[in-house]
Amino acid sequence: MTTEAPQQTTTGFRLTTSAYADELLEMYRRMRRIRRFEERASELYKATEIPGFLHLSIGQEASAVGACWPLRPRDGITSTHRGHGHVLAKGLDSASMMAELMGKEAGTCHGRGGSMHIADPGLGIYGANGIVGAGLPIAAGVATAAKLRAAGDVVVAFFGDGAVAQGMFHEAVNLAAVWDLPVVFLCENNHYSEFSPAAEQHRAPLSARAAGYGIGYAHVDGNDVLAVAGMMTDVVERLRRGGGPVLVEAETYRWHGHYEGDPERYRPAEEVAAAKERDPLLVARRHLAAAGVPAAQADAVDEEIDEEIEAAVRWARSLPEPAPESLSDFVTAPRPVVPEPAPAAGEIFRSMDAVRLALEHELTADPTVFVAGIDVGAGGNVFGLTRGLAEAFPGRVRDTPISESAIIGTAVGAAMAGMKPVVEIMYMDFIGVCLDMLLNQAAKLRFMTGGRASMPLVVRTQFGAGRSSGSQHSQSLEALLAHVPGLTVVMPSNPADTYGLLRAAIQDPNPVVFVENRLQYGFKGPKPPADHLIPLGKAKVVREGTDITLVSWSRMVQDGLAAAELLAAEGVSVEVIDLRTIAPLDRETVLASLAKTNRLVIAHEAVRDFGVGAELSALAVDEGFWHLDAPVTRVAPPAMPAPYAPSLERLWLPSRDTIADTLRRIAAV
């Protein structure tokens, strides 16, 4: 009996020549699938059968297949706007993907994502992404989940050379380095950032950048699938054994323009022609020939894939579009029904105690919960709210660099990977630094993936004017956040609500921004029982009345209650509503009160123009118009930054007295 000589394969095992040839043929099959899918997508786009934008990866097949070759089903990837090849290489089927590109209900994401937003977390595919660089902090979050589970899973974050100029690149790589995360940052360097040559975009090579972050670096020929797979197999195995992040640069070239329809005036045709001489499929064919695989076998693979893609096109064409009644599906996950609890009646405690106790309760009850943010661990938070939690829950209360985009992106990725992150942005004013991760990622990913992406995360932050904190540390920005479909915005006004709403937010399946008022951290009230939960999206009448409805939230509720007391002494009965949740807005409670009192005043700490008060006013004159006996009136700061000088800040900020004056005026109408 004769035996075949063993050869070293890309998986690190010694296999027979026939097994080695089988692996090579499978790599070729996967690349051919990507190539043919992209070619047909281009044709269908030109025929207007695919709408929207289309960014193809023809010429980059080897980097996708080689990078995903050593990955297991539980391993993760994040992708880019040019991501068809990545997700096909990770195992997504071509038929549902083609249907998604055509906007069909049976598409991968039910026609909600399209070409740039395909995802399937069940296959470890945490999303292609239309925002350059956005997948990198999300990958850090998926890798954080992997590290906390300690199951040996790894993550590959694909990005293009243009993303290196993004702040999210720096924040994600630095965070991954600091936390020693099992993530490969894989740059597909195709030498163009949209229309600009890479030489005009960067001065430092990626090797120098990796050294600056203190992480590993590897360079590979991105057109040679064997080279990519072999190198990635070694890198991935090191990460499985506990190694830290690695930056990999795969040099390749895209044959088509930045997008389909790109006139490509920025590069000569000769350059493209020269690049095609290093066609990844031709390189793979040469490897097959060297391994003794007859050309007829590769030709048979071509025919097999051609038929697969044509069948996918035929199937996708036959499918219906999403039904009109499904328009609002997948925006938010269904909430558990939570009854309104009995009023708190325990010992007196503070709002700051409520925050810590709620976090402690959920960390104890649910091992998927973790807390992260700037100085929340060893430092116990800038206000001391998380003091002692890092020691009580090792590894699950984590200090981060000062990198707000990485903090929120980590929460997004970890949530998709099955965790329940609670992350902190130190001041509400800093939301602007990381708005993309809230606006385009946390809020939209469930919708754009057709419900495939879960997003149970909480972003804790705080605000508060009245202590001369100045214009960059005093802003009440809830209107900005409430305007983003998919986000829940919560603003408690007392200690018991802080505890019950924060626990409910952590248990909720949707992204919640939980906004505390720092001037209330010392505010005291009765402590609720440990199982206290408050339903999200439900306002509460905190004082009954018959003459005027006053709606407010956060600290201004206390000023409103004080003003109502003043009016009561003057014979005016004011009903005070605490919204508690800003979005979704409890319209029913407000309208029911207006029907009773026929007058509405709204008081808030955010500036007056274009705010939540304006939304409530619109509600009153639209759905409550026939109940109104007086103008709807807002009490709020003028539309200008918060002043620093105490005298000006007092003039700018509403108070008990300014609310009372407005109530008197409306009562007299």
Side-chain angles (χ1 to χ4, degrees):
M1 177 183 293
T2 61
T3 58
E4 295 176 289
Q7 294 197 17
Q8 183 70 35
T9 74
T10 57
T11 56
F13 296 103
R14 305 288 288 184
L15 298 178
T16 63
T17 300
S18 60
Y20 175 65
D22 288 344
E23 284 197 341
L24 284 174
L25 200 60
E26 178 58 28
M27 290 182 194
Y28 179 77
R29 176 179 286 105
R30 296 181 188 185
M31 288 195 296
R32 178 66 186 175
R33 178 178 290 116
I34 296 169
R35 174 68 59 85
R36 192 61 191 140
F37 183 95
E38 298 286 63
E39 289 173 344
R40 287 299 280 129
S42 178
E43 294 162 4
L44 293 166
Y45 185 81
K46 290 170 184 173
T48 70
E49 292 190 66
I50 291 177
F53 298 109
L54 194 67
H55 306 79
L56 301 181
S57 62
I58 295 175
Q60 301 183 185
E61 297 86 356
S63 57
V65 170
C68 292
W69 186 256
L71 300 184
R72 303 168 182 166
R74 282 169 48 108
D75 295 326
I77 66 167
T78 60
S79 183
T80 70
H81 57 276
R82 200 179 310 284
H84 303 159
H86 307 146
V87 298
L88 285 169
K90 187 60 171 68
L92 196 60
D93 70 287
S94 56
S96 69
M97 231 176 103
M98 189 64 76
E100 182 63 27
L101 266 60
M102 290 187 180
K104 301 302 181 72
E105 173 62 33
T108 309
C109 301
H110 298 287
R112 268 64 171 187
S115 171
M116 290 191 287
H117 308 114
I118 292 173
D120 187 347
L123 293 174
I125 300 167
Y126 293 95
N129 210 296
I131 308 298
V132 173
L136 302 176
I138 293 173
V142 179
T144 298
K147 181 159 187 169
L148 289 171
R149 292 194 178 105
D153 301 332
V154 303
V155 182
V156 176
F158 290 97
F159 65 102
D161 50 283
V164 176
Q166 283 280 354
M168 285 184 285
F169 167 82
H170 162 73
E171 292 192 23
V173 177
N174 186 59
L175 177 70
V178 170
W179 282 4
D180 259 341
L181 296 179
V183 57
V184 181
F185 295 101
L186 195 143
C187 177
E188 291 180 302
N189 184 354
N190 60 29
H191 301 286
Y192 282 92
S193 303
E194 296 193 359
F195 307 155
S196 301
E200 296 178 3
Q201 298 287 302
H202 317 288
R203 287 294 179 263
L206 282 176
S207 56
R209 294 177 186 273
Y213 293 114
I215 65 174
Y217 169 82
H219 180 278
V220 68
D221 179 357
N223 288 347
D224 185 340
V225 69
L226 271 183
V228 179
M231 181 272 300
M232 282 295 292
T233 297
D234 292 340
V235 169
V236 166
E237 285 307 311
R238 286 201 299 272
L239 264 63
R240 292 200 199 285
R241 295 194 298 267
V246 176
L247 181 57
V248 171
E249 182 175 14
E251 280 204 71
T252 182
Y253 197 88
R254 57 171 164 84
W255 293 10
H256 283 219
H258 170 59
Y259 58 90
E260 289 302 280
D262 176 1
E264 297 188 70
R265 297 188 182 95
Y266 50 89
R267 62 182 185 179
E270 297 80 14
E271 179 182 298
V272 179
K276 289 182 178 180
E277 294 177 6
R278 287 283 296 161
D279 181 348
L281 272 68
L282 293 180
V283 173
R285 280 224 177 205
R286 288 197 286 270
H287 285 307
L288 286 168
V293 178
Q297 278 191 260
D299 293 341
V301 167
D302 291 351
E303 293 177 11
E304 168 198 332
I305 294 300
D306 287 352
E307 175 50 36
E308 174 191 319
I309 300 303
E310 287 310 307
V313 172
R314 289 193 299 271
W315 180 72
R317 280 173 169 160
S318 73
L319 297 170
E321 296 176 336
E325 58 268 23
S326 72
L327 173 64
S328 60
D329 288 358
F330 313 119
V331 177
T332 55
R335 289 201 149 91
V337 176
V338 175
E340 183 67 36
E347 63 187 76
I348 298 301
F349 79 145
R350 303 167 297 176
S351 290
M352 63 187 302
D353 303 321
V355 172
R356 182 181 55 79
L357 289 171
L359 292 174
E360 183 178 50
H361 189 288
E362 295 306 308
L363 283 163
T364 301
D366 189 344
T368 67
V369 174
F370 72 91
V371 176
I374 301 163
D375 293 327
V376 301
N381 166 275
V382 68
F383 299 103
L385 304 182
T386 57
R387 196 166 292 151
L389 292 181
E391 293 80 12
F393 301 95
R396 294 173 60 203
V397 180
R398 307 175 71 87
D399 284 324
T400 68
I402 303 176
S403 303
E404 284 82 4
S405 289
I407 291 168
I408 305 298
T410 295
V412 170
M416 280 199 286
M419 306 298 283
K420 291 182 180 177
V422 183
V423 296
E424 179 180 303
I425 299 299
M426 190 179 289
Y427 283 78
M428 194 179 193
D429 312 71
F430 304 164
I431 288 292
V433 180
C434 55
L435 187 57
D436 174 73
M437 282 293 146
L438 285 171
L439 170 70
N440 286 318
Q441 311 303 327
K444 293 183 173 66
L445 280 174
R446 185 175 195 276
F447 177 78
M448 291 191 303
T449 63
R452 288 181 181 268
S454 60
M455 203 55 60
L457 66 87
V458 175
V459 179
R460 281 187 51 252
T461 190
Q462 56 78 28
F463 79 109
R467 291 291 187 272
S468 291
S469 298
S471 300
Q472 294 180 344
H473 288 73
S474 303
Q475 297 171 90
S476 187
L477 300 173
E478 64 271 20
L480 185 153
L481 298 170
H483 193 67
V484 179
L487 284 185
T488 296
V489 183
V490 177
M491 299 180 74
S493 69
N494 61 68
D497 282 5
T498 298
Y499 178 84
L501 287 167
L502 182 52
R503 285 195 59 231
I506 296 171
Q507 295 180 21
D508 197 75
N510 297 290
V512 180
V513 182
F514 192 89
V515 186
E516 302 145 17
N517 190 300
R518 65 176 171 276
L519 273 66
Q520 284 197 302
Y521 282 144
F523 184 63
K524 296 178 181 179
K527 184 179 179 181
D531 62 355
H532 190 69
L533 281 175
I534 292 177
L536 301 182
K538 297 294 183 182
K540 184 178 182 181
V541 176
V542 292
R543 180 188 175 99
E544 299 279 352
T546 57
D547 298 329
I548 305 176
T549 296
L550 173 64
V551 179
S552 192
W553 52 94
S554 191
R555 186 174 69 92
M556 203 59 68
V557 169
Q558 304 306 326
D559 286 336
L561 287 168
E565 285 291 330
L566 293 177
L567 270 290
E570 301 168 18
V572 178
S573 176
V574 179
E575 180 150 295
V576 181
I577 295 176
D578 181 356
L579 282 186
R580 304 192 298 193
T581 300
I582 309 305
L585 182 64
D586 184 354
R587 292 169 167 81
E588 292 77 13
T589 296
V590 174
L591 289 171
S593 180
L594 177 59
K596 179 169 62 171
T597 68
N598 309 117
R599 287 169 169 80
L600 178 63
V601 173
I602 305 141
H604 56 75
E605 192 167 320
V607 296
R608 182 177 185 271
D609 293 10
F610 308 103
V612 178
E615 180 65 26
L616 288 164
S617 300
L619 173 69
V621 299
D622 181 4
E623 299 180 43
F625 178 79
W626 300 109
H627 298 303
L628 287 171
D629 288 343
V632 178
T633 306
R634 290 167 289 166
V635 185
M640 57 172 284
Y644 168 74
S647 59
L648 295 177
E649 188 177 38
R650 285 193 298 271
L651 186 64
W652 175 80
L653 191 63
S655 66
R656 176 199 68 172
D657 294 333
T658 54
I659 296 172
D661 288 343
T662 303
L663 291 169
R664 291 186 187 99
R665 177 166 61 84
I666 297 304
V669 173

